[in-house]
Amino acid sequence: MMNYGVNDLGYYGDFGGAYIPEMLYPNIEELRQQYLDITSDEAFVAEFNQLMKDYVGRPSPLYRAKRFSEKYGANIFFKREDLNHTGSHKINNAIGQILLAIKLGKKRIIAETGAGQHGVATATVCALKGIECVVYMGEIDMERQAPNVARMKMLGATVIPATSGSKTLKDATNEAMRDWINNPVDTHYIIGSVVGPYPYPDMVARFQSIISEETKKQLLEQTGKELPDYAMACVGGGSNAMGMFYHFLDDESVKLIAVEAAGKGVDTGHSAATTMLGREGILHGSRTILMQTDDGQVVEPYSISAGLDYPGIGPQHAHLYKINRAQYVSITDDEALQAGLLCCQLEGIIPAIETAHALAYLDKMKFNTDDNVVICLSGRGDKDLTTYINHFGF
Ligand SMILES: *Cc1c(COP(=O)(O)O)cnc(C)c1O
């Protein structure tokens, strides 16, 4: 059987690894040597599970979306990560990594954020544990996402603007890496997706795998079968998708569908459809697929959803794409916004625009009436109200 997980050297097939400056080697090596031992320790697991239950509000419901099911002629289930504390799946990973950082004896946390969701999740867990928190955020994103900047500050974090390059997520990531190089001993860097040098992609996937672990049990209870016919999610870096795919990877009957952001259209020059536009290369410490020019400069991505506005995908996704285990597709801004509105009107749920990309792809699929389809409802749309309002003119 194909191996979909990471090997001892930190690779998924041709992708992964740890391409890092010398100065970061001790940090990454410490993590690599300890993350599995720490996260499988009984006391760690007990605290993680307790916080997931009492603080995050897990298990998140698996909701059979009745009117969506009628519209698309299949059993459509939403895995409700939008109901988590702080409004998305990102808290699962933030909780896991703060507990790990404490076990490693770290006194200071840094993070990067695009829309601010990961920054808010990180600031939240730092407040919970009384640990100093510094979040790097592109200067432009700070203007676009002012409410999340205020949230992070209220939670006690310091938000530092990234003023280089395009002043967005990739620049914030570069700044965070630079900080880590300068503070290697006392600081842990909480990366927000299944990207970065090994062991991050595997570590984050494990923390998010609670999504498919719960889905399996809930599907069995509700349908008598623990495997769906389709598991779907949107992909920025790919953490909610990896969480949704994780426990289905070895079950080849489960079709995995990852939805990227096409932005204004794949061929418009304003897109973030990484698998369609990208090539193999190195981004943020791992070998993966990324959007780049012929001479290897990272291409500026574009999506209306800040969470999907990233020029790469995690290395495990690059592998699943290359070996055809998962299907990678893309949805435009307009299609996503329409699907987001449809979800409001048919199900009474305002989804994040990231999530709406996954919902929009239903329209392009053909189902059998007894198909069970699970979609990761990665986050709630409160943060996106202005974007919805500007588009639809409410
Ligand atoms: C950040 C975010 C995403 C994209 O990140 P992944 O790592 O690809 O999951 C998707 N949905 C929501 C709601 C987000 O906040």
Side-chain angles (χ1 to χ4, degrees):
M1 195 167 70
M2 216 39 223
N3 177 19
Y4 301 116
V6 76
N7 70 19
D8 293 344
L9 299 170
Y11 279 83
Y12 307 86
D14 298 336
F15 302 103
Y19 296 81
I20 48 167
E22 192 84 25
M23 302 282 289
L24 280 182
Y25 183 80
N27 300 47
I28 295 294
E29 188 54 19
E30 176 185 43
L31 261 188
R32 188 187 69 78
Q33 284 180 12
Q34 300 206 44
Y35 83 108
L36 289 177
D37 285 346
I38 290 177
T39 56
S40 58
D41 173 73
E42 213 172 296
F44 182 99
V45 174
E47 187 173 9
F48 181 77
N49 288 342
Q50 183 249 320
L51 286 172
M52 284 294 142
K53 178 167 169 280
D54 300 333
Y55 191 70
V56 176
R58 303 201 72 94
S60 67
L62 183 72
Y63 162 66
R64 185 176 181 282
K66 186 158 171 287
R67 297 183 68 199
F68 254 61
S69 297
E70 279 163 10
K71 177 168 170 67
Y72 291 112
N75 298 309
I76 314 265
F77 294 87
F78 294 166
K79 180 60 173 161
R80 299 291 308 276
E81 297 299 301
D82 60 317
L83 295 178
N84 293 344
H85 179 44
T86 71
S88 82
H89 66 291
K90 293 220 169 65
I91 192 78
N92 305 327
N93 169 51
I95 296 255
Q97 285 201 52
I98 194 77
L99 297 182
L100 181 86
I102 291 168
K103 295 280 183 232
L104 289 171
K106 305 294 179 184
K107 306 281 181 245
R108 179 173 176 268
I109 295 295
I110 56 172
E112 84 296 338
T113 198
Q117 293 302 100
H118 174 56
V120 168
T122 303
T124 299
V125 298
C126 287
L128 176 71
K129 289 295 181 180
I131 293 184
E132 184 189 350
C133 179
V134 174
V135 179
Y136 289 91
M137 187 169 187
E139 199 170 35
I140 292 189
D141 289 336
M142 285 180 71
E143 285 162 22
R144 288 194 291 199
Q145 309 286 337
N148 273 343
V149 176
R151 275 187 194 107
M152 287 184 266
K153 289 183 176 167
M154 285 185 75
L155 292 161
T158 306
V159 184
I160 301 184
T163 55
S164 63
S166 56
K167 304 180 174 64
T168 58
L169 178 58
K170 103 180 143 41
D171 312 290
T173 307
N174 292 336
E175 294 291 331
M177 290 263 188
R178 210 162 294 150
D179 179 312
W180 209 22
I181 289 171
N182 292 327
N183 300 283
V185 180
D186 68 337
T187 298
H188 175 70
Y189 178 13
I190 300 191
I191 294 184
S193 189
V194 287
V195 303
Y198 177 68
Y200 279 100
D202 186 52
M203 182 168 73
V204 177
R206 284 168 185 265
F207 290 139
Q208 293 294 0
S209 70
I210 193 166
I211 297 173
S212 46
E213 189 184 320
E214 288 175 2
T215 299
K216 254 184 154 169
K217 284 188 205 137
Q218 292 166 321
L219 209 55
L220 182 63
E221 278 166 20
Q222 293 186 38
T223 70
K225 288 191 249 173
E226 64 173 13
L227 299 182
D229 296 281
Y230 296 89
M232 301 172 61
C234 64
V235 177
S239 68
N240 88 90
M242 235 26 262
M244 183 41 107
F245 295 172
Y246 199 90
H247 290 283
F248 301 126
L249 283 173
D250 292 333
D251 295 299
E252 312 274 343
S253 70
V254 182
K255 296 186 238 354
L256 308 176
I257 298 185
V259 185
E260 298 181 328
K264 294 182 178 163
V266 172
D267 299 320
T268 61
H270 301 279
S271 179
T274 304
T275 54
M276 283 212 227
L277 296 170
R279 283 181 295 118
E280 297 182 19
I282 290 165
L283 180 68
H284 295 140
S286 69
R287 184 166 182 82
T288 188
I289 297 174
L290 65 138
M291 292 162 49
Q292 54 187 311
T293 59
D294 288 339
D295 53 359
Q297 296 292 321
V298 178
V299 168
E300 206 50 54
Y302 165 82
S303 165
I304 195 160
S305 68
L308 305 186
D309 196 354
Y310 185 68
I313 46 172
Q316 191 166 14
H317 283 291
H319 181 54
L320 297 177
Y321 168 72
K322 194 166 179 180
I323 63 174
N324 265 317
R325 173 64 188 96
Q327 190 190 348
Y328 290 75
V329 297
S330 67
I331 283 295
T332 65
D333 289 355
D334 285 351
E335 291 168 331
L337 288 160
Q338 284 299 338
L341 187 61
L342 189 73
C343 185
C344 298
Q345 296 180 344
L346 290 188
E347 297 293 346
I349 297 169
I350 303 176
I353 298 178
E354 288 84 357
T355 311
H357 285 72
L359 296 171
Y361 197 68
L362 287 170
D363 218 33
K364 309 196 186 246
M365 297 170 71
K366 290 240 170 347
F367 296 111
N368 297 319
T369 47
D370 58 352
D371 279 345
N372 291 328
V373 181
V374 293
I375 301 187
C376 187
L377 220 84
S378 57
R380 62 175 185 235
D382 307 40
K383 69 180 177 61
D384 297 320
L385 280 189
T386 321
T387 312
Y388 280 124
I389 291 166
N390 289 344
H391 187 79
F392 293 111
F394 292 118

